[in-house]
Amino acid sequence: MRVEIWTDIACPWCYVGKARFDKALEAFPHRDQVEVVHRSFELDPNRAKGDVQPVLAMLTKKYGMSEAQAQAGEENLGAQAAAEGLEYRTRDRDHGNTFDMHRLLHLAKEHGRQGELIQAFYTANFAEERSVFSEGDERLVELAVAAGLDADAARAVLADPAAYADDVRADEREAAQLGANGVPFFVLDRKYGVSGAQPAEVFAQALTEAWGERSPLKLIDEGGAEACGPDGCGVPQH
């Protein structure tokens, strides 16, 4: 079974939602037969790469709330994260463009390290003091290496604006086609969709239902035609 997760590194509910989903998946009896693929979704795709600002400033401008309201929201997110065993800095975080991180996630997918890299990005963005936005490409390379990727391969992607750009855009178009207008958005075997950072129990139920509704293979065997198998090939008898 395949689970596709549309997320953005700048999305705090994606950070919390991943932890809740991971908890449900860890307890799922068939977890070893579940493939998890992370898909790209930018919350702020029109922001220039070098346009970095404090999270509170972004929230007050985008949602028209006061700084006190924005800070209260961050405190609530901190509590939600703590309940899942996650660290979350409720003050002095910043916000910026995530396109390059999504491009690196597609590189990581090719090398089987996507889960490790997205977790490294989440932890760096939400729990660590150093910024993933304002320290330049070498900060992203450092995180890519920590996730098991080659430093030169990561640098090559960052140096080429076209590298994996089409893959990111394709993910975003597909999200729109599926009706996802926010993240996190989970799609299980292209049959079930789960929107938002739901409780682990909801993810557990979705996994169970999606697993139970997998379509069994319908075998069409008219007369037992010859085939090859582990024991060799059937030899026609005359």
Side-chain angles (χ1 to χ4, degrees):
M1 184 168 71
R2 169 182 274 202
V3 178
E4 297 162 278
I5 311 174
W6 272 264
T7 55
D8 192 11
I9 298 91
C11 164
W13 288 116
C14 296
Y15 178 48
V16 173
K18 181 180 183 298
R20 293 174 178 172
F21 173 79
D22 287 348
K23 186 180 295 183
L25 183 60
E26 180 62 28
F28 186 56
H30 309 288
R31 61 185 176 276
D32 292 340
Q33 298 176 63
V34 177
E35 176 192 13
V36 178
V37 179
H38 295 278
R39 301 289 193 191
S40 300
F41 189 108
E42 294 172 276
L43 290 172
D44 202 354
N46 296 318
R47 180 179 290 270
K49 180 177 178 178
D51 183 7
V52 180
Q53 68 179 140
V55 166
L56 289 188
M58 180 273 293
L59 291 172
T60 56
K61 181 178 180 180
K62 185 172 183 177
Y63 299 107
M65 60 176 64
S66 68
E67 186 169 316
Q69 289 173 320
Q71 185 59 52
E74 285 293 285
E75 297 294 341
N76 175 58
L77 278 161
Q80 297 276 353
E84 304 302 329
L86 301 172
E87 293 185 31
Y88 188 97
R89 295 179 66 235
T90 60
R91 297 179 183 274
D92 302 323
R93 288 193 306 107
D94 59 12
H95 175 80
N97 181 283
T98 58
F99 189 63
D100 283 348
M101 284 180 269
H102 284 295
R103 295 196 299 120
L104 285 174
L105 284 167
H106 280 278
L107 170 69
K109 180 184 175 184
E110 290 188 350
H111 294 275
R113 308 300 293 178
Q114 200 182 35
E116 290 81 359
L117 183 57
I118 198 166
Q119 190 60 52
F121 282 158
Y122 279 146
T123 301
N125 186 37
F126 293 108
E128 298 178 3
E129 290 188 14
R130 294 177 59 195
S131 172
V132 296
F133 300 110
S134 62
E135 291 196 21
D137 289 351
E138 280 306 302
R139 174 65 169 142
L140 301 185
V141 171
E142 176 187 307
L143 293 168
V145 170
L149 295 176
D150 178 74
D152 289 338
R155 288 191 186 98
V157 169
L158 294 171
D160 178 6
Y164 300 103
D166 289 344
D167 299 273
V168 175
R169 298 306 183 209
D171 278 357
E172 294 173 338
R173 286 194 300 271
E174 196 163 13
Q177 291 165 0
L178 290 170
N181 53 17
V183 286
F185 187 71
F186 301 76
V187 176
L188 292 76
D189 258 1
R190 291 299 170 110
K191 293 181 178 178
Y192 284 82
V194 180
S195 181
Q198 300 286 347
E201 294 78 11
V202 173
F203 289 122
Q205 180 183 356
L207 286 166
T208 299
E209 291 186 11
W211 182 267
E213 290 194 12
R214 290 175 306 135
S215 299
L217 183 69
K218 184 177 181 180
L219 181 64
I220 298 175
D221 185 2
E222 297 292 341
E226 291 82 3
C228 296
D231 299 322
C233 297
V235 178
Q237 301 297 317
H238 298 287

